[in-house]
Amino acid sequence: MAAALLFGSAVLARLVIDHTDPLGLLGLAGWLMRVVWIVVYGVVLMRRAPQSPTGR
């Protein structure tokens, strides 16, 4: 979803530069969604207990 919003903002950049309308917020929304995903996934990875290797 975030990638689609960022792509949409890149495609519509020419329209957003010429006019001030809410289409400019597509890139911001996509960027914020990506940042939230990175933070949440990072917290999940840090909270995961390290597994000890099984010695044979």
Side-chain angles (χ1 to χ4, degrees):
M1 182 70 151
L5 288 173
L6 290 171
F7 179 75
S9 72
V11 169
L12 299 172
R14 185 170 293 234
L15 295 174
V16 173
I17 290 172
D18 291 339
H19 307 288
T20 57
D21 50 358
L23 289 177
L25 297 177
L26 285 177
L28 177 62
W31 184 82
L32 288 174
M33 288 175 67
R34 187 172 299 261
V35 168
V36 167
W37 179 81
I38 290 171
V39 169
V40 168
Y41 194 65
V43 168
V44 167
L45 288 176
M46 286 190 295
R47 295 186 79 190
R48 181 180 292 183
Q51 298 177 358
S52 61
T54 57
R56 289 188 182 196

